[in-house]
């Protein structure tokens, strides 16, 4: 795990939180390397620290110790401006809830992050429609989130996460709010899109059947990552 040019590399990540007089050690030297095109399942019990790990990997939090490498760049000592730029250009996020902007159409929700990153509206719309088509959502492109089913909303959220062609995709229970049948379809399309994009993906899930279909599993236990 010494290759720092991997899509995502976590080196000896530690993170603690104060709880009154006590200190809660959530991460204790967690290490992980994910190559471009590789999909890794992150499993572990609730409260183990999976979301904290994803926040650190996504440059939303800083670790107490350790280093996050994105595409060969060390991120620990970067300014907040640079970290924000990396989040926009290198990282895609999918959460359990879709967090789509309700006043905008599906197409516009996928266009906006591209325009924020500097893409022209025309190019952003072409890219958005291409992604929506691959998710089977072209006929729903002009619908607002409130007019879409839960599975459709989450598919749009996946398109949005991949719109800027990130190097790394981080997903926190991306099918957790869906019924089993819908979750299966969304997950299948997510994996297909990730594989064709060549992105390094870390996906937290409580679903053992979905986890088993990824390239490999790591379990967060006692603050460290263990192969499953």
């Amino acid at each position: 795990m010494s290759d720092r040019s991997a899509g995502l590399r976590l080196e000896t990540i530690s993170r603690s939180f104060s709880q009154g007089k006590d200190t809660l050690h959530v991460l204790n030297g967690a290490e992980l390397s994910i190559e471009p095109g590789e999909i890794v399942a992150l499993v572990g019990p609730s409260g183990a620290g999976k979301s904290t790990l994803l926040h650190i990997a996504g440059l939303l939090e800083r670790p107490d110790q350790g280093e996050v490498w994105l595409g060969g760049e060390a991120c620990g000592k970067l300014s907040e401006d640079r970290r924000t730029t990396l989040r926009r250009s290198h990282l895609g996020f999918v959460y359990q809830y879709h967090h789509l902007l309700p006043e905008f159409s599906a197409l516009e929700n996928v266009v906006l992050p591209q325009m924020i990153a500097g893409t022209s509206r025309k190019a952003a719309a072409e890219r958005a429609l291409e992604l929506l088509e691959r998710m089977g959502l072209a006929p729903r492109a002009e619908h607002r989130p409130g007019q879409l089913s839960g599975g459709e909303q989450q598919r749009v959220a996946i398109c949005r996460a991949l719109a800027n062609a990130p190097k790394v995709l981080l997903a926190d229970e991306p099918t957790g709010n869906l019924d089993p049948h819908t979750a299966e379809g969304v997950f299948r399309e997510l994996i297909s899109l990730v594989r064709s994009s060549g992105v390094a993906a870390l996906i937290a899930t409580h679903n053992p059947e979905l986890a088993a279909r990824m390239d490999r599993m790591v379990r967060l236990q006692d603050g460290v990552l263990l192969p499953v």
Side-chain angles (χ1 to χ4, degrees):
M1 297 214 315
S2 61
D3 182 8
R4 290 174 174 172
S5 66
L8 173 66
R9 163 87 173 132
L10 306 178
E11 283 185 347
T12 59
I13 299 294
S14 295
R15 186 77 169 97
S16 299
F17 298 93
S18 296
Q19 291 188 328
K21 295 181 180 179
D22 298 325
T23 299
L24 178 64
H25 299 284
V26 177
L27 301 173
N28 298 305
E31 299 222 341
L32 180 65
S33 184
I34 306 178
E35 300 300 322
E38 186 179 24
I39 304 170
V40 176
L42 174 62
V43 301
S46 296
K50 297 190 298 297
S51 292
T52 297
L53 184 77
L54 289 171
H55 288 166
I56 290 173
L59 308 184
L60 296 168
E61 289 183 34
R62 293 182 188 262
D64 298 328
Q65 293 181 322
E67 186 59 277
V68 177
W69 295 78
L70 282 177
E73 181 172 1
C75 301
K77 295 181 180 179
L78 297 177
S79 67
E80 284 303 324
D81 283 349
R82 176 60 181 157
R83 286 165 67 89
T84 298
T85 298
L86 283 176
R87 279 197 298 273
R88 288 176 181 165
S89 62
H90 283 48
L91 292 160
F93 298 90
V94 182
Y95 299 100
Q96 187 169 346
Y97 184 71
H98 59 78
H99 295 294
L100 298 173
L101 298 172
E103 66 271 30
F104 293 102
S105 69
L107 183 71
E108 290 166 335
N109 267 281
V110 184
V111 163
L112 283 172
Q114 299 178 74
M115 293 182 65
I116 291 171
T119 303
S120 72
R121 185 178 186 89
K122 181 176 184 294
E126 290 174 355
R127 167 74 172 162
L129 191 56
E130 174 196 343
L131 288 168
L132 290 170
E133 283 178 350
R134 290 172 65 181
M135 278 294 209
L137 288 173
R140 312 287 280 167
E142 299 303 329
H143 290 66
R144 293 185 179 183
Q147 299 170 301
L148 302 175
S149 70
E152 289 170 339
Q153 291 169 345
Q154 201 65 336
R155 287 182 176 94
V156 175
I158 292 165
C159 292
R160 178 185 57 188
L162 292 170
N164 284 328
K167 296 181 183 299
V168 176
L169 178 74
L170 302 170
D172 196 354
E173 297 287 348
T175 60
N177 275 341
L178 306 175
D179 66 79
H181 177 74
T182 303
E184 164 65 28
V186 170
F187 180 79
R188 183 174 60 249
E189 290 166 359
L190 168 62
I191 294 300
S192 174
L193 198 52
V194 165
R195 290 205 189 284
S196 65
S197 301
V199 64
L202 180 60
I203 301 176
T205 182
H206 279 111
N207 187 322
E209 293 179 0
L210 298 186
R213 289 163 53 190
M214 299 187 218
D215 296 322
R216 60 187 168 101
M217 277 187 273
V218 292
R219 176 179 297 279
L220 185 56
Q221 184 174 320
D222 299 323
V224 296
L225 289 167
L226 305 172
V228 178

